[in-house]
Every structure is written in structure tokens, then in C-alpha cells.
Amino acid sequence: MQERHTNREMYFNELAQTSKKYIIPYIEEFKKIDKDSKILEIGCGEGGNLLPFAQKGCDVTGVDISSNRIEQAKHFFSKNNANAGFIASDIFKIEKPSKLYDIIIIHDVIEHISHKKEFLDGCSKFLKNDGIICMGFPAWQMPFGGHQQICKSKVASHIPFIHILPKPLYKSYLKLCGESKERIDELLDIKDCATSIELFESLINESKYSIENRRLYFINPHYEIKFNLKPRLLNPSIGRVPYLRDFFSSSCFYILTKK
């Protein structure tokens, strides 16, 4: 397990830097961002992705199911003299949004959702008709697509592709490495919710959205702050090959619009 998984302020600041340098410029290719922009992040955690939007003067809202993460978000925003509204809730339980948003960010969330189609369809009620969704997730088959980097064991957290083992073998391996029942259950839940590029795009084709843009990264933009690695897009030739591309896509960025 890396320090950023226990030092949440460090994680918050790292996300803020990546958001400012890569997520905002990506969104601005398709949607203007200014003080009139209304921004919603679903699954915001401590809110690091949202800080640069707040610093630009946007109307910012973050929703997360974890009340602890929301309290941390409020604290970190206060330390940075930034304004935002934060809601501790399951997004499905917000039946009537108080406002509609120009931009919805859903980053590193869909791979934790079991009922993906219902989730995606439900998000549309928060989005303006001319709004966009910025979606990001790691392809399941990529080396650490199972989020095994959160393991406490140095062996388990540094071995790529172990998450694609059959479930009984994966569970046994995690036990052998000394992982707690809670951590094993969390990782197996992520395995159950596995999100490949093919699955995601199939869901979008059946949903209320169209894919405006897709950007597959061989080296995730967030790896710059984490590992000092320069972000690199996936070779287009590999990106056109279904299933093979999943093994090489450490992050998948999408811009979605309403049909």
C-alpha cells in the first residue's frame, strides 16, 4: 500500500494537480469552463478533482456515499479557501436534483458500480440537455485494473495481473499474502464489477448518451504525479483492437453527451 492510500491530504493534493493539468484541459476541448459553469462530481471522495474547478470560480458540487470522505472534502476545501457544496449520499437516493449541471465528472467510479446501466441512466437527470459527462476509469485487464495496489502486502500490491486470476485462486492468493477479510471482500467486489472498454461502450450504446470522444492512455495522466512518468496515449493501432487494448489502457477518458 502506498502512502497516498493512508495520507488522504496527499492524495487530495495529487488529484487536484492532475485535474488541473489534464482533466480540465480535456473537458475544455468540448465545453467552456468559467464562473457560470455548474460542475458535479459523482463519487468525489475527498474532492481533489474538484478543487481546480472551484479555484476557477465554478459552482461546484461533490457527492459521495462515504460521509467520512465528505467530511474530509469539506476540511480540505476549507484549508484551501475554496467553496463547494458536498453531499454525503448514495446518488440513487437523490430523487430530485436542486439544479442541473453543465459538466458531470465520474472518475474512477464506474468500475465500483454493479448496476452500471441503471447508474448511467440515473445520472442523466442531473445533466443539462447540452451538458457533458467526463468519464474516466482503468480498463479491467490492465496490469493493476483490480486496484490491488491498495493491498497491505508489498507482494500483492506490486504484482500485476493477479486480479484476472479465477476468483477462487485470486481469493486464495490474497489470503496467502495476509490480506484482511475486509480488504479481500473489497477486491473481490471490484472483480465482480470489472469494467472493460467493450462492456462500457456497449452500455453507452444502450443508454441515453453518445460518445463524443474517447482517449485511451497507455500511461495514465495521474502517473505523472505518482511515479514521475510522462502521460502517453495508447498507440492507435492497438486502440482499435477490441479486448487486446484493455491490457494496455491504464486509463480510459470519455466525453459523453445526451442523445
Side-chain angles (χ1 to χ4, degrees):
M1 179 180 289
Q2 301 163 356
E3 181 184 353
R4 60 185 47 85
H5 295 128
T6 54
N7 184 340
R8 303 310 294 185
E9 186 168 9
M10 174 184 177
Y11 187 63
F12 171 89
N13 289 324
E14 288 181 345
L15 286 179
Q17 291 181 59
T18 299
S19 180
K20 181 178 182 179
K21 191 169 182 179
Y22 293 104
I23 294 178
I24 285 181
Y26 179 56
I27 291 173
E28 286 182 322
E29 292 181 31
F30 307 94
K31 191 76 172 175
K32 182 180 178 181
I33 300 174
D34 57 28
K35 62 181 180 61
D36 295 320
S37 301
K38 292 180 172 56
I39 315 293
L40 170 67
E41 183 174 17
I42 298 172
C44 67
E46 299 88 352
N49 287 326
L50 289 172
L51 182 62
F53 291 92
Q55 291 171 333
K56 288 174 72 71
C58 301
D59 180 339
V60 171
T61 304
V63 178
D64 197 279
I65 198 169
S66 168
S67 58
N68 181 51
R69 293 284 183 254
I70 289 297
E71 288 305 311
Q72 289 175 322
K74 292 177 179 178
H75 173 66
F76 295 149
F77 264 65
S78 177
K79 285 188 69 173
N80 283 273
N81 297 311
N83 295 316
F86 288 103
I87 303 168
S89 175
D90 182 335
I91 193 69
F92 290 111
K93 294 182 179 178
I94 303 176
E95 296 182 3
K96 188 175 181 181
S98 59
K99 66 182 80 170
L100 297 180
Y101 295 89
D102 300 287
I103 299 164
I104 297 177
I105 300 167
I106 308 173
H107 192 265
D108 288 349
V109 171
I110 193 74
E111 71 271 25
H112 299 279
I113 301 292
S114 54
H115 302 291
K116 300 182 195 300
K117 186 177 187 303
E118 293 83 352
F119 170 76
L120 289 166
D121 287 344
C123 293
S124 68
K125 69 182 178 183
F126 297 91
L127 187 66
K128 291 182 179 179
N129 287 333
D130 63 345
I132 66 170
I133 293 178
C134 179
M135 178 77 66
F137 63 92
W140 167 249
Q141 292 92 341
M142 76 93 165
F144 291 89
H147 290 30
Q148 62 265 40
Q149 65 270 21
I150 67 174
C151 290
K152 290 188 175 181
S153 162
K154 288 186 177 180
V155 175
S157 65
H158 286 80
I159 300 297
F161 297 115
I162 60 171
H163 60 292
I164 62 177
L165 289 169
K167 197 170 183 178
L169 286 178
Y170 186 36
K171 184 176 182 179
S172 297
Y173 180 83
L174 293 171
K175 283 184 177 179
L176 185 65
C177 290
E179 296 301 318
S180 67
K181 181 181 183 304
E182 292 75 16
R183 185 53 47 86
I184 292 173
D185 288 345
E186 179 182 2
L187 291 166
L188 292 179
D189 183 63
I190 292 171
K191 186 174 178 68
D192 288 338
C193 297
T195 305
S196 65
I197 295 168
E198 291 69 33
L199 172 62
F200 178 74
E201 294 192 1
S202 174
L203 289 168
I204 296 302
N205 288 336
E206 298 172 2
S207 75
K208 302 175 181 181
Y209 309 103
S210 298
I211 296 174
E212 182 76 12
N213 182 264
R214 179 185 73 193
R215 193 163 293 176
L216 304 180
Y217 280 94
F218 176 61
I219 299 179
N220 188 330
H222 195 53
Y223 289 176
E224 184 172 68
I225 188 69
K226 287 175 70 175
F227 308 121
N228 198 31
L229 295 173
K230 186 175 177 59
R232 182 177 173 185
L233 291 171
L234 185 67
N235 184 297
S237 298
I238 298 176
R240 287 191 289 269
V241 183
Y243 303 105
L244 175 64
R245 60 194 176 192
D246 292 88
F247 287 88
F248 298 94
S249 298
S250 62
S251 189
C252 310
F253 279 24
Y254 286 84
I255 297 292
L256 309 178
T257 56
K258 283 188 174 181
K259 288 180 179 176

